[in-house]
Amino acid sequence: MEVRGIPLWTRMAVDSGGTGRPPALNAAAGLRTALAVLDLGMVGTDSTRRAVPSAGATHPYECYVLTKDDAGATGLYQADPGRRICQLVSLGPQAAEALCQAALVIPEAGAVIVLATRPWLSMRKYGDRGYLYTQLDTAHLHMNLVLAADSLGARVVLRQRPPGLEPLVREHGECAEVHSALAVTALSAGNGPEAEPPGWVVHDARAARRHSLRRQPHWLERICWESLVTRPEGAAVVPLGAAVSLPMAVRRSGRAPLVPQAAFHSRRSATGFVSPGTVRTQDVHGTVDRAISVFNAVLPGEGPPHATLVMRQDDDGGDELTWPSGLVVRWATGLPDDSVTEAFMAQPHLAGTSAVLLLHAPTDSLIDEADGSQLWTVLFRAGALAQLVYLEAAQRHGLAVTGVGGFDSERWKRLAGLPGDHDVVYAVAMGVDTPEAPKLDRLAVAYAQNERS
């Protein structure tokens, strides 16, 4: 059997790309800074889960680090958090020139962490909706890394979709686009490891066969990528990523971290909720209020996304609380479990949800100009705020959280009384955790598209 002129068996063959063990490297101060931030904000505390949630556990992104070695040369490193491998892929003026175009500078003993999305990793499971999850998942990670750096005592300068870095990333992996970059200063005393962070292996990959340094996408990934970056008339264009934000900075002035380090260790996604389950209104209020407050501190001028909080339980003093400005609260005490299950695409483990934070936007902003900047911004803000809800809930006993991407937007619009010209882009469910419940998202791939078997 041949497909596209190449025998199927030949196409199934794999190549490790290795030529023996690559030379080991000593991590310079800037790389140690980056790996410490990745350890806390990306890798997680054990081998069973990452520090951030991801739809279907696909983690559709790649991570690069730009920093200087002990001789002062700028190098580009690829970081694989799953295997805790960091490899040097290029060294020299090309990386420095890319930073200049992105208007970023590597701080003394610091680094620039670059996130790049690979939509295919999610879209191969979820179809077109996987692009939504790709953006939401990467926004989760972006916010978590910013807060991890802050909690370690660093100062952070952010760039959203910076120019200049795309060629650098594409040199080592096709079908990807730069999502964001974080310039992280040296960590405060006691937080920066004196030696290479435990568990990480750093090596020089430049001695490998040249082609192995460049990730070769599967032909299906190329088709998927072309569907995202091709005009209707068939002329290829630059992938979505032209919009550029001005730099924003998280500055420390002897204050406490925005999020304590313990929250990164205890954050988890609930697999289901007890029904009937009752959480304290004060806990939901405190979580959402603090999440929006930190969002405004990290991204001043952005403003949080449109948000509506649906409370299914009795009002136990909620009317006496001061809810965040702009947040709409709907009390739906009579909303049955069946209605919630149907609105969450027949996922029964979510039937006992006590509260739902619906993040929504005007439909016109989701169907915008060719470069997709408005859609990107909406999804970035939604994912960033959702990650803050996770971290704040992790500090409160008895309040479990999970992000939900598979939902019936029209049904939720009716149940929550959302504006008719808005669409829901993300839902954050809260309730009393029941660890025994399996997540159907992990057992069947089609819930987000209502293709249940």
Side-chain angles (χ1 to χ4, degrees):
M1 178 179 178
E2 293 190 1
V3 178
R4 296 195 171 191
I6 303 174
L8 182 59
W9 177 253
T10 302
R11 289 175 40 231
M12 289 191 293
V14 295
D15 179 1
S16 68
T19 57
R21 186 180 297 274
L25 291 176
N26 291 322
L31 185 57
R32 295 200 301 270
T33 292
L35 296 182
V37 173
L38 294 177
D39 251 350
L40 182 61
M42 186 176 187
V43 175
T45 56
D46 57 49
S47 60
T48 62
R49 65 176 187 266
R50 294 277 189 91
V52 287
S54 173
T58 59
H59 301 283
Y61 38 68
E62 295 179 334
C63 182
Y64 296 85
V65 176
L66 286 155
T67 189
K68 295 182 182 295
D69 63 13
D70 289 331
T74 301
L76 176 69
Y77 298 79
Q78 282 181 322
D80 181 344
R83 295 183 294 168
R84 278 192 165 154
I85 293 175
C86 184
Q87 58 179 6
L88 175 65
V89 293
S90 70
L91 186 70
Q94 181 184 12
E97 291 170 4
L99 283 169
C100 184
Q101 291 183 42
L104 284 166
V105 176
I106 297 174
E108 181 75 22
V112 173
I113 299 173
V114 180
L115 301 181
T117 57
R118 279 186 66 193
W120 161 250
L121 296 180
S122 186
M123 293 179 72
R124 64 185 175 185
K125 181 173 184 178
Y126 295 110
D128 288 337
R129 198 166 178 82
Y131 184 79
L132 166 75
Y133 302 154
T134 296
Q135 299 304 323
L136 292 172
D137 285 356
T138 313
H140 272 277
L141 176 58
H142 173 100
M143 177 59 78
N144 216 50
L145 290 176
V146 170
L147 295 172
D150 175 73
S151 72
L152 292 170
R155 296 172 63 181
V156 184
V157 173
L158 316 180
R159 284 283 195 282
Q160 299 172 10
R161 308 175 94 190
L165 299 181
E166 291 280 358
L168 203 61
V169 169
R170 300 255 181 81
E171 177 66 23
H172 304 285
E174 299 177 49
C175 302
E177 65 171 337
V178 172
H179 176 274
S180 53
L182 298 74
V184 182
T185 66
L187 307 183
S188 62
N191 286 318
E194 296 300 324
E196 190 173 303
W200 281 92
V201 175
V202 181
H203 61 241
D204 188 346
R206 294 174 300 164
R209 291 197 305 269
R210 184 63 194 169
H211 79 272
S212 68
L213 280 178
R214 183 182 180 89
R215 172 175 46 76
Q216 299 295 327
H218 189 276
W219 64 272
L220 287 172
E221 182 171 5
R222 292 185 186 278
I223 292 176
C224 171
W225 181 249
E226 290 168 3
S227 75
L228 296 173
V229 301
T230 304
R231 295 187 189 277
E233 61 267 27
V237 296
V238 177
L240 307 182
V244 180
S245 292
L246 293 175
M248 295 165 284
V250 178
R251 292 186 172 87
R252 298 183 56 82
S253 302
R255 57 164 174 74
L258 291 168
V259 174
Q261 292 186 31
F264 298 93
H265 300 310
S266 57
R267 184 225 65 85
R268 64 180 297 272
S269 294
T271 57
F273 300 114
V274 173
S275 181
T278 302
V279 297
R280 296 197 323 151
T281 300
Q282 290 88 340
D283 286 338
V284 176
H285 169 270
T287 294
V288 176
D289 181 69
R290 177 63 180 167
I292 292 176
S293 175
V294 174
F295 182 99
N296 290 330
V298 174
L299 300 171
E302 289 264 324
H306 295 281
T308 297
L309 179 65
V310 179
M311 299 289 295
R312 294 183 62 202
Q313 58 196 44
D314 292 332
D315 179 5
D316 56 344
D319 284 341
E320 300 175 4
L321 299 171
T322 302
W323 296 88
S325 176
L327 176 69
V328 177
V329 181
R330 305 288 191 196
W331 297 93
T333 54
L335 188 61
D337 284 2
D338 286 347
S339 295
V340 175
T341 302
E342 291 172 0
F344 280 143
M345 310 302 282
Q347 299 183 74
H349 59 286
L350 300 175
T353 298
S354 300
V356 183
L357 182 65
L358 299 172
L359 305 177
H360 49 97
T363 306
D364 287 348
S365 70
L366 305 175
I367 308 172
D368 64 355
E369 66 275 15
D371 72 355
S373 60
Q374 290 190 59
L375 173 62
W376 189 96
T377 300
V378 168
L379 299 182
F380 173 79
R381 293 162 65 196
L385 180 58
Q387 183 61 23
L388 285 164
V389 172
Y390 266 104
L391 292 172
E392 292 303 322
Q395 303 172 59
R396 300 175 188 276
H397 179 72
L399 182 62
V401 171
T402 191
V404 185
F407 50 79
D408 185 329
S409 181
E410 289 298 322
R411 191 179 294 270
W412 273 118
K413 283 168 64 175
R414 294 194 300 271
L415 293 175
L418 302 184
D421 60 347
H422 277 216
D423 276 332
V424 179
V425 298
Y426 203 15
V428 183
M430 292 171 268
V432 179
D433 191 15
T434 172
E436 296 79 15
K439 286 192 74 172
L440 291 180
D441 181 65
R442 296 175 182 170
L443 305 178
V445 302
Y447 275 79
Q449 289 89 345
N450 198 25
E451 298 170 353
R452 299 182 300 276
S453 56

